[in-house]
Amino acid sequence: PESPPPPYSRLSPNEEQKPLDLSDSTLSYTETEATNSPNVTPGDFSDASTSPDAMKRSHWCNVAYWEHRTRVGRLYTVYEQSVSIFYDLPQGNGFCLGQLNLENRSETVRRTRSKIGYGILLSKEPDGVWAYNRSEHPIFVNSPTLDIPNCRTLIVRKVMPGYSIKVFDYEKSCLLQHTADLDYADGPYDPNSVRISFAKGWGPCYSRQFITSCPCWLEILLSNNR
């Protein structure tokens, strides 16, 4: 379970994952403090709802950072097409997890936080939402469009450093919401959310059965269809 499956081999990319192209201009820290500050809420733009660029200012997702069962900090609202989520870097803008304070952190959380590094870059593209792993450790991803339809087994994908994966497929999501049985007996189900854990996996193949057992993880709340 700790080794990547064949689709993530550098020699066999497929349509759901691709190597990270470091020359891509979208990987630079181009976000601005004004549009990506965690202190900015959708309500702050209510007065501009009738302006010509109102659609550009509408957010496409909110990001929540969790440590085990505790959410740390406020929801981070994303307005730009891409956002960097990293630990503690002096240059650039984005969601800096190292600035989020929490008393009495466990040693496990501290060790995992130190592995986040450059973290990930979330990018909204025409075919869906992609997550690029910029850290030096794997990330683990689960979303409704990565799960196998009509299968009750949780699918958690391991993405190695330098690779990316389409964490949410818009077309597949529309099909799932029309055909899937959403009557899950094992807990709440959100068809428009993505969960990403740093360095530690969870699910049937791991000792951590639930993502709330992971030291550091993200909840991506997509605004489409909400």
Side-chain angles (χ1 to χ4, degrees):
E2 293 297 337
S3 60
Y8 293 102
S9 167
R10 290 181 181 271
L11 301 179
S12 59
N14 62 22
E15 69 279 359
E16 283 199 345
Q17 61 87 38
K18 55 189 178 184
L20 177 59
D21 183 2
L22 295 177
S23 65
D24 193 332
S25 61
T26 61
L27 300 182
S28 62
Y29 291 98
T30 57
E31 298 79 16
T32 62
E33 290 287 353
T35 55
N36 276 307
S37 169
N39 295 323
V40 176
T41 62
D44 293 332
F45 293 95
S46 59
D47 294 339
S49 60
T50 57
S51 63
D53 60 348
M55 292 304 294
K56 295 181 182 179
R57 292 180 174 176
S58 62
H59 71 285
W60 62 272
C61 80
N62 287 300
V63 181
Y65 170 64
W66 295 77
E67 293 178 357
H68 293 298
R69 293 177 174 271
T70 302
R71 200 185 89 187
V72 184
R74 300 173 61 182
L75 284 178
Y76 186 89
T77 304
V78 180
Y79 297 92
E80 299 295 324
Q81 290 298 106
S82 62
V83 60
S84 296
I85 304 173
F86 52 91
Y87 177 64
D88 191 12
L89 301 174
Q91 74 276 12
N93 300 309
F95 190 6
C96 182
L97 303 180
Q99 294 181 345
L100 302 179
N101 296 320
L102 181 67
E103 295 182 0
N104 302 320
R105 276 195 172 97
S106 68
E107 184 59 30
T108 300
V109 171
R110 294 180 187 275
R111 286 197 305 267
T112 304
R113 279 168 62 89
S114 68
K115 295 178 180 180
I116 295 175
Y118 283 92
I120 66 172
L121 182 134
L122 278 181
S123 178
K124 181 183 180 184
E125 301 179 17
D127 60 341
V129 178
W130 287 76
Y132 298 79
N133 185 2
R134 306 187 67 192
S135 74
E136 297 181 353
H137 299 271
I139 61 173
F140 298 82
V141 182
N142 168 260
S143 84
T145 63
L146 288 175
D147 282 332
I148 300 174
N150 301 320
C151 178
R152 301 295 298 220
T153 301
L154 181 72
I155 304 297
V156 178
R157 302 292 180 93
K158 182 178 184 179
V159 184
M160 300 302 290
Y163 280 80
S164 64
I165 186 171
K166 182 161 58 175
V167 297
F168 196 85
D169 186 304
Y170 292 135
E171 183 177 356
K172 188 179 293 185
S173 174
C174 292
L175 295 175
L176 289 175
Q177 292 189 40
H178 283 91
T179 61
D181 178 10
L182 302 182
D183 185 21
Y184 286 90
D186 52 355
Y189 173 81
D190 188 343
N192 294 305
S193 70
V194 177
R195 296 174 293 175
I196 301 175
S197 174
F198 292 104
K200 302 294 183 179
W202 83 98
C205 297
Y206 298 88
S207 59
R208 296 167 293 273
Q209 294 296 297
F210 306 101
I211 195 169
T212 50
S213 298
C214 294
C216 304
W217 58 282
L218 301 172
E219 185 178 22
I220 315 300
L221 304 168
L222 301 173
S223 60
N224 55 305
N225 300 323
R226 288 188 185 277

mmCIF file of all heavy atoms in Angstrom, residues 116-155:
data_model
loop_
_atom_site.group_PDB
_atom_site.id
_atom_site.type_symbol
_atom_site.label_atom_id
_atom_site.label_comp_id
_atom_site.label_asym_id
_atom_site.label_seq_id
_atom_site.Cartn_x
_atom_site.Cartn_y
_atom_site.Cartn_z
ATOM 1 N N ILE A 116 5.152 19.173 4.491
ATOM 2 C CA ILE A 116 4.283 19.804 3.490
ATOM 3 C C ILE A 116 5.097 20.600 2.482
ATOM 4 O O ILE A 116 4.861 20.527 1.278
ATOM 5 C CB ILE A 116 3.227 20.693 4.175
ATOM 6 C CG1 ILE A 116 2.283 19.829 5.026
ATOM 7 C CG2 ILE A 116 2.434 21.490 3.134
ATOM 8 C CD1 ILE A 116 1.284 20.635 5.842
ATOM 9 N N GLY A 117 6.080 21.375 2.956
ATOM 10 C CA GLY A 117 6.964 22.104 2.056
ATOM 11 C C GLY A 117 6.221 22.985 1.061
ATOM 12 O O GLY A 117 5.394 23.811 1.435
ATOM 13 N N TYR A 118 6.540 22.790 -0.220
ATOM 14 C CA TYR A 118 5.878 23.567 -1.273
ATOM 15 C C TYR A 118 4.416 23.165 -1.444
ATOM 16 O O TYR A 118 3.668 23.832 -2.147
ATOM 17 C CB TYR A 118 6.606 23.392 -2.605
ATOM 18 C CG TYR A 118 7.888 24.183 -2.710
ATOM 19 C CD1 TYR A 118 9.109 23.614 -2.350
ATOM 20 C CD2 TYR A 118 7.881 25.489 -3.164
ATOM 21 C CE1 TYR A 118 10.291 24.327 -2.443
ATOM 22 C CE2 TYR A 118 9.057 26.218 -3.261
ATOM 23 C CZ TYR A 118 10.257 25.636 -2.906
ATOM 24 O OH TYR A 118 11.426 26.352 -2.998
ATOM 25 N N GLY A 119 4.017 22.058 -0.837
ATOM 26 C CA GLY A 119 2.613 21.659 -0.833
ATOM 27 C C GLY A 119 2.058 21.320 -2.200
ATOM 28 O O GLY A 119 2.675 20.585 -2.974
ATOM 29 N N ILE A 120 0.908 21.872 -2.502
ATOM 30 C CA ILE A 120 0.229 21.564 -3.756
ATOM 31 C C ILE A 120 -0.208 22.848 -4.455
ATOM 32 O O ILE A 120 -0.254 23.925 -3.845
ATOM 33 C CB ILE A 120 -1.013 20.677 -3.528
ATOM 34 C CG1 ILE A 120 -2.081 21.443 -2.725
ATOM 35 C CG2 ILE A 120 -0.640 19.378 -2.849
ATOM 36 C CD1 ILE A 120 -3.411 20.710 -2.636
ATOM 37 N N LEU A 121 -0.505 22.714 -5.718
ATOM 38 C CA LEU A 121 -1.140 23.782 -6.463
ATOM 39 C C LEU A 121 -2.458 23.249 -7.005
ATOM 40 O O LEU A 121 -2.479 22.239 -7.717
ATOM 41 C CB LEU A 121 -0.263 24.289 -7.602
ATOM 42 C CG LEU A 121 -0.870 25.457 -8.388
ATOM 43 C CD1 LEU A 121 0.159 26.559 -8.611
ATOM 44 C CD2 LEU A 121 -1.419 24.997 -9.732
ATOM 45 N N LEU A 122 -3.556 23.885 -6.626
ATOM 46 C CA LEU A 122 -4.869 23.526 -7.138
ATOM 47 C C LEU A 122 -5.168 24.393 -8.344
ATOM 48 O O LEU A 122 -5.013 25.618 -8.286
ATOM 49 C CB LEU A 122 -5.952 23.755 -6.088
ATOM 50 C CG LEU A 122 -6.183 22.702 -5.012
ATOM 51 C CD1 LEU A 122 -7.323 23.145 -4.108
ATOM 52 C CD2 LEU A 122 -6.492 21.341 -5.616
ATOM 53 N N SER A 123 -5.602 23.785 -9.416
ATOM 54 C CA SER A 123 -5.867 24.529 -10.641
ATOM 55 C C SER A 123 -7.221 24.136 -11.218
ATOM 56 O O SER A 123 -7.510 22.952 -11.414
ATOM 57 C CB SER A 123 -4.766 24.245 -11.670
ATOM 58 O OG SER A 123 -5.018 24.907 -12.890
ATOM 59 N N LYS A 124 -8.052 25.138 -11.485
ATOM 60 C CA LYS A 124 -9.336 24.906 -12.132
ATOM 61 C C LYS A 124 -9.135 24.983 -13.631
ATOM 62 O O LYS A 124 -8.784 26.029 -14.178
ATOM 63 C CB LYS A 124 -10.360 25.944 -11.677
ATOM 64 C CG LYS A 124 -11.737 25.745 -12.294
ATOM 65 C CD LYS A 124 -12.702 26.844 -11.870
ATOM 66 C CE LYS A 124 -14.063 26.621 -12.495
ATOM 67 N NZ LYS A 124 -15.010 27.720 -12.185
ATOM 68 N N GLU A 125 -9.352 23.866 -14.317
ATOM 69 C CA GLU A 125 -9.164 23.785 -15.753
ATOM 70 C C GLU A 125 -10.488 23.399 -16.411
ATOM 71 O O GLU A 125 -11.432 23.003 -15.724
ATOM 72 C CB GLU A 125 -8.054 22.778 -16.068
ATOM 73 C CG GLU A 125 -6.716 23.170 -15.423
ATOM 74 C CD GLU A 125 -5.601 22.188 -15.704
ATOM 75 O OE1 GLU A 125 -5.744 21.377 -16.643
ATOM 76 O OE2 GLU A 125 -4.583 22.233 -15.000
ATOM 77 N N PRO A 126 -10.587 23.525 -17.751
ATOM 78 C CA PRO A 126 -11.856 23.244 -18.428
ATOM 79 C C PRO A 126 -12.416 21.850 -18.155
ATOM 80 O O PRO A 126 -13.636 21.668 -18.095
ATOM 81 C CB PRO A 126 -11.499 23.408 -19.906
ATOM 82 C CG PRO A 126 -10.381 24.393 -19.911
ATOM 83 C CD PRO A 126 -9.579 24.078 -18.675
ATOM 84 N N ASP A 127 -11.547 20.856 -17.974
ATOM 85 C CA ASP A 127 -12.033 19.493 -17.776
ATOM 86 C C ASP A 127 -12.251 19.140 -16.313
ATOM 87 O O ASP A 127 -12.765 18.070 -16.003
ATOM 88 C CB ASP A 127 -11.062 18.489 -18.406
ATOM 89 C CG ASP A 127 -9.667 18.567 -17.800
ATOM 90 O OD1 ASP A 127 -9.355 19.601 -17.178
ATOM 91 O OD2 ASP A 127 -8.896 17.604 -17.963
ATOM 92 N N GLY A 128 -11.827 20.012 -15.396
ATOM 93 C CA GLY A 128 -12.013 19.706 -13.992
ATOM 94 C C GLY A 128 -10.976 20.412 -13.132
ATOM 95 O O GLY A 128 -10.332 21.371 -13.564
ATOM 96 N N VAL A 129 -10.797 19.908 -11.917
ATOM 97 C CA VAL A 129 -9.845 20.495 -10.976
ATOM 98 C C VAL A 129 -8.648 19.550 -10.845
ATOM 99 O O VAL A 129 -8.818 18.351 -10.617
ATOM 100 C CB VAL A 129 -10.494 20.712 -9.593
ATOM 101 C CG1 VAL A 129 -9.481 21.277 -8.613
ATOM 102 C CG2 VAL A 129 -11.696 21.632 -9.714
ATOM 103 N N TRP A 130 -7.456 20.106 -11.015
ATOM 104 C CA TRP A 130 -6.226 19.329 -10.920
ATOM 105 C C TRP A 130 -5.456 19.720 -9.674
ATOM 106 O O TRP A 130 -5.458 20.889 -9.283
ATOM 107 C CB TRP A 130 -5.341 19.557 -12.144
ATOM 108 C CG TRP A 130 -5.849 18.894 -13.386
ATOM 109 C CD1 TRP A 130 -6.884 19.302 -14.173
ATOM 110 C CD2 TRP A 130 -5.348 17.695 -13.976
ATOM 111 N NE1 TRP A 130 -7.058 18.430 -15.220
ATOM 112 C CE2 TRP A 130 -6.129 17.438 -15.135
ATOM 113 C CE3 TRP A 130 -4.305 16.826 -13.654
ATOM 114 C CZ2 TRP A 130 -5.892 16.339 -15.960
ATOM 115 C CZ3 TRP A 130 -4.069 15.731 -14.476
ATOM 116 C CH2 TRP A 130 -4.862 15.497 -15.611
ATOM 117 N N ALA A 131 -4.792 18.751 -9.062
ATOM 118 C CA ALA A 131 -3.913 19.003 -7.921
ATOM 119 C C ALA A 131 -2.500 18.586 -8.316
ATOM 120 O O ALA A 131 -2.272 17.440 -8.718
ATOM 121 C CB ALA A 131 -4.366 18.224 -6.696
ATOM 122 N N TYR A 132 -1.569 19.525 -8.222
ATOM 123 C CA TYR A 132 -0.170 19.276 -8.554
ATOM 124 C C TYR A 132 0.616 19.117 -7.248
ATOM 125 O O TYR A 132 0.611 20.008 -6.407
ATOM 126 C CB TYR A 132 0.401 20.437 -9.362
ATOM 127 C CG TYR A 132 -0.278 20.663 -10.700
ATOM 128 C CD1 TYR A 132 -1.497 21.325 -10.771
ATOM 129 C CD2 TYR A 132 0.310 20.210 -11.876
ATOM 130 C CE1 TYR A 132 -2.127 21.533 -11.992
ATOM 131 C CE2 TYR A 132 -0.314 20.419 -13.099
ATOM 132 C CZ TYR A 132 -1.528 21.079 -13.145
ATOM 133 O OH TYR A 132 -2.162 21.285 -14.349
ATOM 134 N N ASN A 133 1.297 18.004 -7.102
ATOM 135 C CA ASN A 133 2.077 17.753 -5.890
ATOM 136 C C ASN A 133 3.453 18.403 -6.026
ATOM 137 O O ASN A 133 4.320 17.911 -6.742
ATOM 138 C CB ASN A 133 2.215 16.256 -5.650
ATOM 139 C CG ASN A 133 2.918 15.950 -4.333
ATOM 140 O OD1 ASN A 133 3.270 16.854 -3.576
ATOM 141 N ND2 ASN A 133 3.122 14.678 -4.050
ATOM 142 N N ARG A 134 3.671 19.494 -5.308
ATOM 143 C CA ARG A 134 4.934 20.219 -5.366
ATOM 144 C C ARG A 134 5.837 19.895 -4.181
ATOM 145 O O ARG A 134 6.931 20.417 -4.075
ATOM 146 C CB ARG A 134 4.663 21.729 -5.409
ATOM 147 C CG ARG A 134 3.722 22.152 -6.529
ATOM 148 C CD ARG A 134 3.631 23.655 -6.631
ATOM 149 N NE ARG A 134 4.924 24.201 -7.072
ATOM 150 C CZ ARG A 134 5.216 25.497 -7.036
ATOM 151 N NH1 ARG A 134 4.337 26.354 -6.558
ATOM 152 N NH2 ARG A 134 6.389 25.924 -7.455
ATOM 153 N N SER A 135 5.362 19.056 -3.282
ATOM 154 C CA SER A 135 6.157 18.731 -2.101
ATOM 155 C C SER A 135 7.147 17.610 -2.413
ATOM 156 O O SER A 135 7.197 17.103 -3.536
ATOM 157 C CB SER A 135 5.244 18.309 -0.950
ATOM 158 O OG SER A 135 4.734 17.002 -1.177
ATOM 159 N N GLU A 136 7.918 17.217 -1.411
ATOM 160 C CA GLU A 136 8.885 16.129 -1.570
ATOM 161 C C GLU A 136 8.338 14.816 -1.028
ATOM 162 O O GLU A 136 9.083 13.837 -0.897
ATOM 163 C CB GLU A 136 10.198 16.495 -0.869
ATOM 164 C CG GLU A 136 10.893 17.714 -1.466
ATOM 165 C CD GLU A 136 12.194 18.042 -0.775
ATOM 166 O OE1 GLU A 136 12.489 17.395 0.257
ATOM 167 O OE2 GLU A 136 12.904 18.941 -1.253
ATOM 168 N N HIS A 137 7.052 14.802 -0.708
ATOM 169 C CA HIS A 137 6.413 13.605 -0.174
ATOM 170 C C HIS A 137 5.089 13.376 -0.908
ATOM 171 O O HIS A 137 4.526 14.311 -1.484
ATOM 172 C CB HIS A 137 6.167 13.759 1.334
ATOM 173 C CG HIS A 137 7.426 13.953 2.126
ATOM 174 N ND1 HIS A 137 8.151 12.911 2.635
ATOM 175 C CD2 HIS A 137 8.096 15.087 2.487
ATOM 176 C CE1 HIS A 137 9.218 13.367 3.280
ATOM 177 N NE2 HIS A 137 9.200 14.689 3.198
ATOM 178 N N PRO A 138 4.566 12.149 -0.900
ATOM 179 C CA PRO A 138 3.324 11.889 -1.607
ATOM 180 C C PRO A 138 2.134 12.577 -0.948
ATOM 181 O O PRO A 138 2.161 12.923 0.234
ATOM 182 C CB PRO A 138 3.185 10.363 -1.532
ATOM 183 C CG PRO A 138 3.990 9.962 -0.337
ATOM 184 C CD PRO A 138 5.136 10.928 -0.280
ATOM 185 N N ILE A 139 1.103 12.799 -1.744
ATOM 186 C CA ILE A 139 -0.191 13.230 -1.231
ATOM 187 C C ILE A 139 -1.196 12.128 -1.540
ATOM 188 O O ILE A 139 -0.964 11.297 -2.416
ATOM 189 C CB ILE A 139 -0.654 14.574 -1.835
ATOM 190 C CG1 ILE A 139 -0.795 14.454 -3.360
ATOM 191 C CG2 ILE A 139 0.292 15.698 -1.446
ATOM 192 C CD1 ILE A 139 -1.422 15.685 -4.014
ATOM 193 N N PHE A 140 -2.302 12.127 -0.808
ATOM 194 C CA PHE A 140 -3.331 11.105 -0.972
ATOM 195 C C PHE A 140 -4.663 11.803 -1.198
ATOM 196 O O PHE A 140 -5.002 12.751 -0.476
ATOM 197 C CB PHE A 140 -3.371 10.194 0.254
ATOM 198 C CG PHE A 140 -2.084 9.445 0.473
ATOM 199 C CD1 PHE A 140 -1.009 10.044 1.112
ATOM 200 C CD2 PHE A 140 -1.935 8.141 0.021
ATOM 201 C CE1 PHE A 140 0.190 9.376 1.305
ATOM 202 C CE2 PHE A 140 -0.737 7.455 0.210
ATOM 203 C CZ PHE A 140 0.325 8.070 0.858
ATOM 204 N N VAL A 141 -5.407 11.336 -2.197
ATOM 205 C CA VAL A 141 -6.585 12.069 -2.655
ATOM 206 C C VAL A 141 -7.801 11.152 -2.742
ATOM 207 O O VAL A 141 -7.700 9.996 -3.167
ATOM 208 C CB VAL A 141 -6.336 12.698 -4.045
ATOM 209 C CG1 VAL A 141 -7.536 13.507 -4.494
ATOM 210 C CG2 VAL A 141 -5.085 13.560 -4.029
ATOM 211 N N ASN A 142 -8.955 11.698 -2.354
ATOM 212 C CA ASN A 142 -10.227 11.019 -2.567
ATOM 213 C C ASN A 142 -11.264 12.051 -2.991
ATOM 214 O O ASN A 142 -11.289 13.165 -2.481
ATOM 215 C CB ASN A 142 -10.699 10.314 -1.297
ATOM 216 C CG ASN A 142 -12.151 9.837 -1.403
ATOM 217 O OD1 ASN A 142 -13.048 10.500 -0.884
ATOM 218 N ND2 ASN A 142 -12.371 8.742 -2.082
ATOM 219 N N SER A 143 -12.085 11.672 -3.954
ATOM 220 C CA SER A 143 -13.208 12.520 -4.368
ATOM 221 C C SER A 143 -14.264 11.633 -5.011
ATOM 222 O O SER A 143 -13.971 10.501 -5.413
ATOM 223 C CB SER A 143 -12.752 13.601 -5.357
ATOM 224 O OG SER A 143 -12.718 13.116 -6.678
ATOM 225 N N PRO A 144 -15.510 12.123 -5.119
ATOM 226 C CA PRO A 144 -16.565 11.310 -5.728
ATOM 227 C C PRO A 144 -16.240 10.865 -7.151
ATOM 228 O O PRO A 144 -16.614 9.761 -7.558
ATOM 229 C CB PRO A 144 -17.776 12.243 -5.702
ATOM 230 C CG PRO A 144 -17.518 13.170 -4.557
ATOM 231 C CD PRO A 144 -16.043 13.388 -4.560
ATOM 232 N N THR A 145 -15.525 11.692 -7.923
ATOM 233 C CA THR A 145 -15.256 11.321 -9.318
ATOM 234 C C THR A 145 -14.046 10.403 -9.457
ATOM 235 O O THR A 145 -13.774 9.909 -10.544
ATOM 236 C CB THR A 145 -15.049 12.580 -10.183
ATOM 237 O OG1 THR A 145 -13.908 13.306 -9.734
ATOM 238 C CG2 THR A 145 -16.268 13.490 -10.125
ATOM 239 N N LEU A 146 -13.323 10.165 -8.364
ATOM 240 C CA LEU A 146 -12.238 9.187 -8.394
ATOM 241 C C LEU A 146 -12.707 7.818 -7.926
ATOM 242 O O LEU A 146 -12.065 6.808 -8.213
ATOM 243 C CB LEU A 146 -11.079 9.652 -7.504
ATOM 244 C CG LEU A 146 -10.249 10.832 -8.023
ATOM 245 C CD1 LEU A 146 -9.215 11.243 -6.979
ATOM 246 C CD2 LEU A 146 -9.552 10.475 -9.329
ATOM 247 N N ASP A 147 -13.820 7.789 -7.201
ATOM 248 C CA ASP A 147 -14.371 6.522 -6.742
ATOM 249 C C ASP A 147 -14.955 5.733 -7.912
ATOM 250 O O ASP A 147 -15.365 6.302 -8.934
ATOM 251 C CB ASP A 147 -15.463 6.746 -5.690
ATOM 252 C CG ASP A 147 -14.887 7.064 -4.315
ATOM 253 O OD1 ASP A 147 -13.767 6.615 -4.036
ATOM 254 O OD2 ASP A 147 -15.562 7.769 -3.545
ATOM 255 N N ILE A 148 -15.003 4.425 -7.770
ATOM 256 C CA ILE A 148 -15.617 3.577 -8.781
ATOM 257 C C ILE A 148 -17.128 3.586 -8.577
ATOM 258 O O ILE A 148 -17.607 3.337 -7.469
ATOM 259 C CB ILE A 148 -15.087 2.131 -8.679
ATOM 260 C CG1 ILE A 148 -13.564 2.122 -8.885
ATOM 261 C CG2 ILE A 148 -15.776 1.228 -9.697
ATOM 262 C CD1 ILE A 148 -12.937 0.764 -8.663
ATOM 263 N N PRO A 149 -17.919 3.894 -9.631
ATOM 264 C CA PRO A 149 -19.382 3.953 -9.479
ATOM 265 C C PRO A 149 -19.953 2.655 -8.914
ATOM 266 O O PRO A 149 -19.511 1.554 -9.265
ATOM 267 C CB PRO A 149 -19.876 4.197 -10.913
ATOM 268 C CG PRO A 149 -18.714 4.853 -11.596
ATOM 269 C CD PRO A 149 -17.482 4.239 -10.983
ATOM 270 N N ASN A 150 -20.921 2.808 -8.011
ATOM 271 C CA ASN A 150 -21.632 1.668 -7.410
ATOM 272 C C ASN A 150 -20.715 0.746 -6.604
ATOM 273 O O ASN A 150 -21.057 -0.405 -6.351
ATOM 274 C CB ASN A 150 -22.354 0.852 -8.485
ATOM 275 C CG ASN A 150 -23.349 1.684 -9.258
ATOM 276 O OD1 ASN A 150 -24.059 2.511 -8.696
ATOM 277 N ND2 ASN A 150 -23.401 1.480 -10.572
ATOM 278 N N CYS A 151 -19.554 1.259 -6.210
ATOM 279 C CA CYS A 151 -18.644 0.472 -5.388
ATOM 280 C C CYS A 151 -18.560 1.112 -4.013
ATOM 281 O O CYS A 151 -18.332 2.312 -3.895
ATOM 282 C CB CYS A 151 -17.252 0.413 -6.022
ATOM 283 S SG CYS A 151 -16.044 -0.491 -5.032
ATOM 284 N N ARG A 152 -18.745 0.309 -2.975
ATOM 285 C CA ARG A 152 -18.746 0.843 -1.624
ATOM 286 C C ARG A 152 -17.344 0.989 -1.039
ATOM 287 O O ARG A 152 -17.177 1.538 0.041
ATOM 288 C CB ARG A 152 -19.578 -0.072 -0.717
ATOM 289 C CG ARG A 152 -21.020 -0.236 -1.147
ATOM 290 C CD ARG A 152 -21.750 1.088 -1.031
ATOM 291 N NE ARG A 152 -21.789 1.559 0.327
ATOM 292 C CZ ARG A 152 -22.848 2.138 0.888
ATOM 293 N NH1 ARG A 152 -23.950 2.296 0.199
ATOM 294 N NH2 ARG A 152 -22.799 2.571 2.132
ATOM 295 N N THR A 153 -16.333 0.517 -1.773
ATOM 296 C CA THR A 153 -14.967 0.609 -1.273
ATOM 297 C C THR A 153 -14.407 2.000 -1.540
ATOM 298 O O THR A 153 -14.468 2.505 -2.654
ATOM 299 C CB THR A 153 -14.071 -0.435 -1.949
ATOM 300 O OG1 THR A 153 -14.594 -1.739 -1.699
ATOM 301 C CG2 THR A 153 -12.651 -0.354 -1.398
ATOM 302 N N LEU A 154 -13.841 2.618 -0.528
ATOM 303 C CA LEU A 154 -13.257 3.939 -0.664
ATOM 304 C C LEU A 154 -11.989 3.865 -1.516
ATOM 305 O O LEU A 154 -11.132 3.026 -1.287
ATOM 306 C CB LEU A 154 -12.914 4.497 0.721
ATOM 307 C CG LEU A 154 -12.304 5.897 0.771
ATOM 308 C CD1 LEU A 154 -13.355 6.941 0.438
ATOM 309 C CD2 LEU A 154 -11.700 6.156 2.149
ATOM 310 N N ILE A 155 -11.898 4.724 -2.513
ATOM 311 C CA ILE A 155 -10.731 4.770 -3.387
ATOM 312 C C ILE A 155 -9.875 5.979 -3.004
ATOM 313 O O ILE A 155 -10.322 7.118 -3.094
ATOM 314 C CB ILE A 155 -11.129 4.871 -4.867
ATOM 315 C CG1 ILE A 155 -12.056 3.715 -5.250
ATOM 316 C CG2 ILE A 155 -9.888 4.905 -5.745
ATOM 317 C CD1 ILE A 155 -11.426 2.345 -5.131
#
